[in-house]
Amino acid sequence: MRKPYTGAGAVLTRIQKLLFGMGENDGFIFKAVVYLLLIGIGFIYLYPLLFMLVNSFMSLDDLVNSMVKWIPTELYVENYKKALQVLNFRSTLMQTILVAGAPAIVQTVMSSVIGYGFARFDFPLKRLWFALMIATFIIPPQVTMIPTYLMFKDYQLLGTLKTYIYPAFLGQGLKSALFIMIFYQFFKKLPVVLEEAAQIDGAGYLKMFYRIAVPTAGPAFIIVFLFSFVWYWNESYLAALYFGNTLTILPLELQKFADSYARLFPPGAPGSEINEAVKMAGTMLTIAPLLVVYFLLQRWFVEGVDRSGITGE
Amino acid sequence: MAAIRITNKRRKALVGMAFIAPWIIGFFIFALRPMIYALFLSFQKVKVTPLGIKTEYVGWDNYKYAFVSDATFVEKVLHYLREMALNVPIIVTFSLIIALLINQKIKLRGVFRTIFFLPVIITSGPVINELLSQGVTNIPNIESYGMFAMVKESLSPAVASPILFLFKQIIMVLWFSGVQILIFLAGLQKVDHSLYEAARIDGASPWESFWKLTLPMLKPLVLVNFVYTIVYLSTFALNELIVMIRLNMFDTLTGFGYATAIAWIYFVLIALVLVIWTALLGARKGGTVS
């Protein structure tokens, strides 16, 4: 007996055939295989995280004990205590939040403004500007990095957050083109009728933007902000180049982990040897805040995909 | 009446320009000017002195040095090209499969999606570096099951080596596909289900409707993902060529001039890789994935 083909059923069978070639629509076996695949691939994704998490709680005895693989004999928090110290966690975390958060907010706001401009207006040379906007995505930052560095140096902006804020404000931050595209796609789908109605009510263009366009673009704002925040958070190279010694971020401190460790716990002192577990605790601490933000936002993020207009058709 | 319409239109154009004006200004300051300056620097010997930088025109020397004298550059370029040729189609195909899987009506869909978007959060230079150095990006014991030996013996080297390559860095491949999954998933959400029903009635098998309907509809996104993957891999902080540019920047022997020269060569390479992939994808009618 064949089930009638509803939309979802057709998609299921399509994938089923894709996976097995010529399978009959046997719901149960098919589902089992899909779940097996999902769980398998999901495990591969989670494996490094789980491995790090487990190992970061292992004492030296557990690390060398070949009997202990996944479950430490005790919850050994000493690693985290050391890692917190080595990373100078509280101060570094505050700086990282500032370094990632401020440009991310500026970038999100400005990308939405620019994306709105491209989506809702006609103006001279629009296609050229649009093409150039997309082209900026392809230019590797390394080409422009050196002159930009020299320019910031000339204007004595090095060592300040302005080196991040200014490009972000002018739509040239990290992957800004991608964000502008997301907003462009989103605003493109806004019905014209809404704007016309607002115009009849006497709303200006700016008012139309923040009273009509912005409130409907919630998922786009969340996705762009999350991406932007994460990418600024992780951008250790530009941070090292632009901020020098005045500002630091967690990924940079993680890079220097072994050196900082040796300084804090000089060789010869008890417990001075750095081990994998301590480094993993450090790595966990570096990504933990991002994971928290992600899990807080993921509800909108995961479901928002459907409506974010992220695709570039 | 006509006059009012024109001024209205003009007004609208001006407002539109105002909206994108920050971008236009930014483009000249942070994209065009640095690029021109980088081109200029690549023909100079640059010395950084306490008083500022000194440049001395050296013609094509920096470029010649890259290809003739620098022992590692050509090797790294070839390695880069090989990686792009192998990794990019694998990553795009993988993300398509995962997007198809999590687009279904399944239980715990939110949980699975949450897991599969994780890479977007974690893939960064230092963290990935830690993961790599601690060996957690390899699936444990995969080699001890004799799978490698089996693949090696039963297949010709041309087929076997990419497969082995894939297994060796499967976690890396998966970890680089977060955004791509997202893009495909968003595309799949928009596919009109009534089209499949129509195809069904016309007697198309699900297999056929995948190739004839889904894939052509996703084709623009396949291209978007190819471009994204290439750019992402190319500008990834741990990419060998990026590391090389970085090291040369503050090398007293070679310096900024040489660093910008290889950055330019690298840019041209990326552009070429993009053009070739785009041409390959565009040339195939019906849109195959890889």
Side-chain angles (χ1 to χ4, degrees):
Chain A
M1 238 307 269
R2 229 176 202 169
K3 276 194 234 158
Y5 278 95
T6 57
V11 177
L12 278 179
T13 2
R14 177 166 49 80
I15 296 157
Q16 175 192 19
K17 295 265 177 155
L18 176 71
L19 294 176
F20 314 124
M22 298 295 292
E24 197 38 61
N25 192 0
D26 188 328
F28 182 72
I29 292 174
F30 171 65
K31 276 248 157 84
V33 171
V34 167
Y35 280 110
L36 214 64
L37 264 176
L38 282 173
I39 292 166
I41 299 171
F43 176 73
I44 297 176
Y45 273 103
L46 285 178
Y47 173 76
L49 273 185
L50 289 175
F51 184 85
M52 274 201 304
L53 188 68
V54 168
N55 275 264
S56 64
F57 282 111
M58 281 192 186
S59 64
L60 206 57
D61 291 339
D62 283 350
L63 278 179
V64 293
N65 186 349
S66 60
M67 300 283 283
V68 179
K69 185 95 180 91
W70 280 105
I71 303 161
T73 52
E74 52 171 336
L75 212 57
Y76 186 75
V77 290
E78 204 57 35
N79 295 327
Y80 277 93
K81 281 189 189 153
K82 278 185 183 166
L84 283 171
Q85 235 179 314
V86 173
L87 291 172
N88 191 8
F89 190 71
R90 189 191 291 237
S91 151
T92 313
L93 176 69
M94 285 307 166
Q95 292 180 58
T96 317
I97 290 173
L98 181 73
V99 164
I105 292 169
V106 173
Q107 189 178 31
T108 309
V109 170
M110 288 315 287
S111 303
S112 73
V113 169
I114 297 160
Y116 187 76
F118 274 121
R120 309 301 292 188
F121 296 96
D122 257 325
F123 41 83
L125 300 179
K126 180 174 162 176
R127 300 185 124 226
L128 174 73
W129 296 127
F130 199 71
L132 287 173
M133 195 267 293
I134 292 169
T136 58
F137 184 58
I138 297 163
I139 303 167
Q142 287 69 31
V143 174
T144 54
M145 187 178 282
I146 299 162
T148 310
Y149 170 80
L150 292 172
M151 182 167 71
F152 284 144
K153 198 176 167 198
D154 280 349
Y155 292 108
Q156 286 169 348
L157 295 172
L158 289 178
T160 68
L161 205 53
K162 287 172 188 160
T163 51
Y164 268 14
I165 303 272
Y166 287 174
F169 184 80
L170 296 175
Q172 308 291 327
L174 287 180
K175 300 199 170 90
S176 267
L178 186 70
F179 300 140
I180 293 171
M181 280 300 292
I182 290 176
F183 279 115
Y184 170 81
Q185 292 294 337
F186 202 96
F187 291 135
K188 196 99 197 151
K189 285 183 299 188
L190 265 186
V192 188
V193 194
L194 268 179
E195 289 193 343
E196 283 170 355
Q199 239 168 345
I200 290 164
D201 286 350
Y205 289 106
L206 206 59
K207 201 167 188 183
M208 264 157 52
F209 172 65
Y210 73 79
R211 294 300 279 277
I212 297 173
V214 171
T216 56
F221 273 94
I222 285 175
I223 287 183
V224 167
F225 176 76
L226 183 68
F227 275 25
S228 177
F229 185 72
V230 165
W231 282 331
Y232 272 110
W233 183 288
N234 284 331
E235 180 53 66
S236 54
Y237 180 44
L238 281 184
L241 190 66
Y242 290 164
F243 299 146
N245 295 321
T246 53
L247 281 167
T248 188
I249 57 172
L250 282 168
L252 273 179
E253 291 301 310
L254 184 65
Q255 268 176 341
K256 295 186 282 194
F257 199 84
D259 294 339
S260 313
Y261 190 91
R263 228 179 309 120
L264 270 175
F265 307 97
S272 67
E273 264 130 84
I274 187 166
N275 59 47
E276 292 298 287
V278 180
K279 280 186 93 178
M280 286 190 201
T283 313
M284 283 309 291
L285 284 173
T286 305
I287 52 177
L290 285 182
L291 290 176
V292 170
V293 173
Y294 176 61
F295 282 113
L296 287 179
L297 294 182
Q298 59 88 15
R299 171 187 293 271
W300 291 282
F301 181 64
V302 167
E303 295 308 321
V305 170
D306 312 1
R307 291 175 295 145
S308 68
I310 202 172
T311 56
E313 289 138 37
Chain B
M1 200 62 199
I4 292 166
R5 208 175 293 140
I6 285 166
T7 49
N8 248 348
K9 209 180 158 193
R10 269 213 191 132
R11 202 172 103 87
K12 220 182 158 193
L14 277 176
V15 176
M17 288 292 270
F19 268 98
I20 69 154
W23 180 84
I24 295 179
I25 296 166
F27 173 74
F28 284 108
I29 299 176
F30 292 109
L32 198 62
R33 185 188 171 277
M35 278 189 88
I36 294 167
Y37 194 51
L39 195 62
F40 164 78
L41 282 183
S42 70
F43 293 104
Q44 314 285 324
K45 172 101 187 140
V46 183
K47 278 199 189 104
V48 181
T49 66
L51 294 170
I53 61 160
K54 273 187 188 158
T55 58
E56 179 195 330
Y57 182 73
V58 291
W60 289 92
D61 277 10
N62 285 328
Y63 291 90
K64 261 187 232 154
Y65 185 84
F67 287 107
V68 181
S69 313
D70 197 321
T72 54
F73 181 71
V74 175
E75 191 188 314
K76 280 179 179 156
V77 164
L78 291 175
H79 186 244
Y80 164 77
L81 291 174
R82 205 167 50 228
E83 273 205 344
M84 288 297 124
L86 278 170
N87 276 342
V88 173
I90 292 172
I91 289 173
V92 174
T93 314
F94 239 105
S95 38
L96 177 62
I97 292 171
I98 291 174
L100 286 170
L101 283 174
I102 56 176
N103 187 41
Q104 299 170 79
K105 291 229 161 26
I106 48 171
K107 289 208 178 77
L108 299 175
R109 184 163 75 162
V111 175
F112 283 119
R113 285 189 181 181
T114 308
I115 293 172
F116 291 146
F117 297 156
L118 263 181
V120 180
I121 309 295
I122 298 163
T123 352
S124 76
V127 175
I128 278 282
N129 211 13
E130 282 304 310
L131 293 174
L132 277 174
S133 70
Q134 283 149 13
V136 290
T137 50
N138 284 316
I139 301 179
N141 305 330
I142 199 167
E143 299 189 41
S144 59
Y145 289 127
M147 243 168 86
F148 274 42
M150 200 185 78
V151 171
K152 229 180 228 166
E153 277 160 26
S154 53
L155 296 166
S156 74
V159 184
S161 63
I163 294 177
L164 293 178
F165 179 83
L166 173 64
F167 272 114
K168 269 190 190 143
Q169 44 177 4
I170 187 152
I171 292 187
M172 287 300 277
V173 165
L174 287 168
W175 278 66
F176 276 112
S177 50
V179 173
Q180 291 87 329
I181 295 173
L182 211 66
I183 291 174
F184 274 137
L185 191 61
L188 285 170
Q189 303 283 340
K190 287 186 191 152
V191 173
D192 189 356
H193 286 301
S194 58
L195 274 175
Y196 289 108
E197 279 159 43
R200 228 11 267 177
I201 293 163
D202 286 348
S205 73
W207 178 253
E208 277 172 329
S209 58
F210 172 78
W211 292 103
K212 299 259 165 70
L213 279 177
T214 313
L215 215 47
M217 267 186 283
L218 287 180
K219 201 178 162 188
L221 297 186
V222 171
L223 189 61
V224 167
N225 269 339
F226 261 83
V227 172
Y228 181 82
T229 310
I230 291 166
V231 172
Y232 190 69
L233 287 179
S234 301
T235 55
F236 187 60
L238 291 180
N239 187 303
E240 279 182 71
L241 279 158
I242 301 276
V243 173
M244 190 178 171
I245 293 169
R246 192 192 316 176
L247 289 178
N248 276 296
M249 270 175 77
F250 296 105
D251 190 321
T252 42
L253 208 71
T254 47
F256 275 18
Y258 183 57
T260 45
I262 47 179
W264 263 99
I265 299 172
Y266 189 45
F267 175 45
V268 173
L269 266 178
I270 295 172
L272 274 177
V273 169
L274 282 172
V275 167
I276 291 169
W277 277 119
T278 312
L280 277 176
L281 283 174
R284 290 191 200 166
K285 283 271 149 77
T288 41
V289 185
S290 55

